[in-house]
Amino acid sequence: MLKKRIIRIALLLVIIVAALSFVKLPYYITEPGEATELNPLIKVDNGYPEKGSFSLMTVKVGPANPLTYIWAKMRPYHEILPEENFKQEGESDQEYMKRQLQMMRDSQENAMIAAYKRAGKEVSYTFNGVYAMSVVSGMPAEGKIQVGDKIKKADGKSFRSAESFVRYIESKKAGDRVKIVVERDKEEKTYEMKLKTFKEDPKRAGLGVSLITDRNVKVKPEVDMDIENIGGPSAGLMMSMEIYNQLTKEDETKGHHIAGTGTIDDEGKVGPIGGISQKVVAADKAGADIFFAPNEGGKKGSNYEEAVKTAKDIKTDMKIVPVDTMDDAIHYLEDKVKNT
């Protein structure tokens, strides 16, 4: 009798656990991902070989259910974030992924342009404009900027990439007013908006619009980039480093395993990203020797500061290096790193 009761309880627990796994909560769980070596994924025609490696870093993201929620509460470097941090109001999973992949394609183009310029190689592109890709509910752009609008100017300034526009906005603070000129249906419209902090990130203020840069890029020698199912712009810096290393004779890796993260614009400027601590943990687990982290001009609470704190917490020997530009990363490798 006791044995049957134990079996019934066990079966009931299995059913409950299975049922809970299908209950979707309005949260997402993020955790350390993996280090992905770029050399097998990026190939410059007749490019130079390298002894070491450059790796992009990923963060694992998944919808939360009661079981993963509890598990994340007990695990270090697992974050529980509201769904609106990832998906915009009314956005489907497919639309979210499409937006992430578009940002990755934009980042690849920036990486190509920055690397070819730095290497003194042939690169040209036609610039077609910066366009609004989505608008965040409850932010200043809602009801003013529409998806598909061409962003012409901000405070009288023109921008040739989404990153340069974002960087300009990020130089301001909540409450500052910005005058935006957009083109819609061949007509220009002007809106004045007051910057507002993001609900999911009170340290940041913005308009609440995500952007893409529309252009056609041509390079010589040609480069093939086979990076699939990785979204977002945060691999920009490391992609530019891999391309540059294949374009130039000197091997910047010098036999080291180099990881890092950061957006890149077409001038080689590095921007901040999310999940920096999780990427440091993943890079350490993968055995990286060096980790490049966005310095954000040395401001308090930068990606670099957080990366240093995490490196100390996990007691890694990995060197955390602050970078504001692609040049910072190259100069560090040329001046500070010895061959292995």
Side-chain angles (χ1 to χ4, degrees), residues 15 21 25-26 36 65 79 105 111 120 135 185-186 222 237 241 256 285 288 299-300 309 327 333-334:
I15 292 170
S21 67
L25 300 178
T36 301
N65 61 50
E79 287 191 73
R105 285 191 289 271
V135 179
D185 299 327
K186 298 182 179 180
E222 292 186 2
L237 169 64
M241 293 298 292
H256 293 275
K285 186 177 179 181
K299 77 175 186 181
K300 187 176 177 62
K309 182 180 181 300
D327 275 354
L333 296 176
E334 290 179 345

Side-chain angles (χ1 to χ4, degrees), residues 21 23-29 62-69 80-81:
S21 67
V23 177
K24 186 177 179 181
L25 300 178
Y27 299 99
Y28 274 75
I29 308 294
N65 61 50
L67 299 177
T68 58
Y69 186 95
I80 302 167
L81 299 171

